[in-house]
Structure formats: structure tokens, C-alpha cells
Amino acid sequence: MFDPREKVVLFIDGANLYATSRALGIDIDYKRLLGEFQSQAYLLRAYYYTALVEDQEYSSIRPLIDWLDYNGYTVVTKPAKEFTDAQGRRKVKGNMDIELTIDAMEMATHYDHLVLFSGDGDFTALVAALQRRGKKVTVASTLTTATPMISDDLRRQADYFLDIAELAKTVGRAQVDRTGSTREDAHS
């Protein structure tokens, strides 16, 4: 999939990768993830995109964001928007698609191969635009869950498809629940 001479960039849609890893019952080891790509090609950059709820004293994602920021990832965040829906339920919306797309296009002259960690079909146009500029694009998501986590259009448009269920064999670990035991412990 990768030519060792290629300059590769990772673009991670944080919310999408989180949902995919949860559906697969794994946690991603982000240090091993970097190592996996560094061993296959020249990893130029790894970006992680996520929206944050600002008014919360403590966000459960904050330790991950801080760790990524200190350990080789470029973290891109923006405040999530809170609103109340028609039924009076409090909702949080934080889509990072535009930020990710703009960064991918602006950086296109600096890389050969983009790996997009998202199954969101909204990225199909981005993939096509990068391909028109001579870039290779790998989309990382999964087909192994009961409901596929990747849009069929996005998968068809990509040059390569990387199933996170396969990648998890080298960069995944068992999910840890709130009591601190792994998912496997809970089932034994």
C-alpha cells in the first residue's frame, strides 16, 4: 500500500475514529499507530481533529488531547456548539470536516499519500480533489461492524481501504471500562 519513499500524512477525524473503535470493542494505541506508519513510509505529519465542549470543567477527552499534543500529533480543536433541540434535549454539535478538508488541501503540495481516518461520506469530494492533484488516498474505517462505519461512496473513491479491524491487530488494545478492567475481564 505504501512506497517507502512516499511522504505520508495522517488525518484523523477524532469523533469518527472513536465511534469506530468503540463499535469494534478496542482502544487505539496512538503511539503504536504512529510507529506503524513510520515503519512503512516517511510520516510527515499526523493530525487529530476534534471539537471540545468549552464550559465543562473537565472533558474526558482532555487527557488524550494533551497526550497527543506532546507525542507527535498536531491536534486541531474548536469549541463544540451546544443547543437545545425541538424536544427540549440538550445537544452538542462539533463537526471538524471543513477544518480537516482545508488543511488537507493546503498541505497537498507537501505529501504524496494521505491516510484519512474517517468513514464519513462527506469526505468523498475531498478524496476526489486530492486524486486530481496526483495524490494517493487511503481511507481507514471498518466494514466488520453490524452497520458498516464507512460510506460506500467514500470507499469506492479511495485508492486504498484500510480496515481498522485489521489495523487493530497491531495498534489496538482491549477497551478499558470505567472500573479499570478490560472488556475481556468483564466477560470471563
Side-chain angles (χ1 to χ4, degrees), residues 71-151:
N71 288 279
Y73 288 82
T74 301
V75 177
V76 182
T77 63
K78 76 175 182 186
K81 303 280 187 240
E82 288 191 70
F83 65 96
T84 305
D85 69 10
Q87 288 75 40
R89 292 182 298 237
R90 188 172 154 262
K91 298 274 190 177
V92 176
K93 183 175 168 77
N95 190 317
M96 297 294 291
D97 295 3
I98 297 296
E99 290 80 359
L100 189 153
T101 298
I102 290 170
D103 290 351
M105 293 302 292
E106 283 184 347
M107 279 211 50
T109 57
H110 303 289
Y111 62 82
D112 305 304
H113 195 147
L114 179 134
V115 181
L116 175 63
F117 282 82
S118 183
D120 187 338
D122 290 345
F123 289 121
T124 305
L126 168 64
V127 172
L130 291 171
Q131 290 167 329
R132 288 191 299 273
R133 287 165 176 73
K135 306 303 171 188
K136 283 195 255 176
V137 181
T138 294
V139 173
S141 188
T142 192
L143 291 165
T144 62
T145 51
T147 305
M149 299 294 287
I150 184 166
S151 144

Side-chain angles (χ1 to χ4, degrees), residues 9-178:
V9 290
L10 307 183
F11 276 75
I12 301 169
D13 174 346
N16 195 282
L17 181 56
Y18 177 81
T20 300
S21 65
R22 284 288 166 249
L24 290 169
I26 54 128
D27 284 329
I28 300 293
D29 183 324
Y30 287 96
K31 186 179 185 81
R32 290 201 314 226
L33 182 67
L34 279 184
E36 181 69 21
F37 286 94
Q38 288 167 334
S39 72
Q40 296 182 43
Y42 178 76
L43 183 61
L44 187 63
R45 289 259 188 284
Y47 292 91
Y48 186 95
Y49 293 81
T50 191
L52 297 172
V53 178
E54 281 193 325
D55 68 344
Q56 290 181 344
E57 188 78 17
Y58 173 81
S59 170
S60 60
I61 197 170
R62 180 53 69 187
L64 172 64
I65 297 304
D66 290 343
W67 187 93
L68 292 170
D69 210 18
Y70 282 106
N71 288 279
Y73 288 82
T74 301
V75 177
V76 182
T77 63
K78 76 175 182 186
K81 303 280 187 240
E82 288 191 70
F83 65 96
T84 305
D85 69 10
Q87 288 75 40
R89 292 182 298 237
R90 188 172 154 262
K91 298 274 190 177
V92 176
K93 183 175 168 77
N95 190 317
M96 297 294 291
D97 295 3
I98 297 296
E99 290 80 359
L100 189 153
T101 298
I102 290 170
D103 290 351
M105 293 302 292
E106 283 184 347
M107 279 211 50
T109 57
H110 303 289
Y111 62 82
D112 305 304
H113 195 147
L114 179 134
V115 181
L116 175 63
F117 282 82
S118 183
D120 187 338
D122 290 345
F123 289 121
T124 305
L126 168 64
V127 172
L130 291 171
Q131 290 167 329
R132 288 191 299 273
R133 287 165 176 73
K135 306 303 171 188
K136 283 195 255 176
V137 181
T138 294
V139 173
S141 188
T142 192
L143 291 165
T144 62
T145 51
T147 305
M149 299 294 287
I150 184 166
S151 144
D152 192 51
D153 289 342
L154 181 61
R155 194 175 120 222
R156 289 173 190 265
Q157 186 66 53
D159 296 298
Y160 304 100
F161 173 70
L162 175 60
D163 199 311
I164 292 174
E166 263 316 292
L167 185 62
K169 293 175 182 171
T170 54
V171 304
R173 57 179 181 247
Q175 272 181 358
V176 176
D177 67 21
R178 287 190 166 81

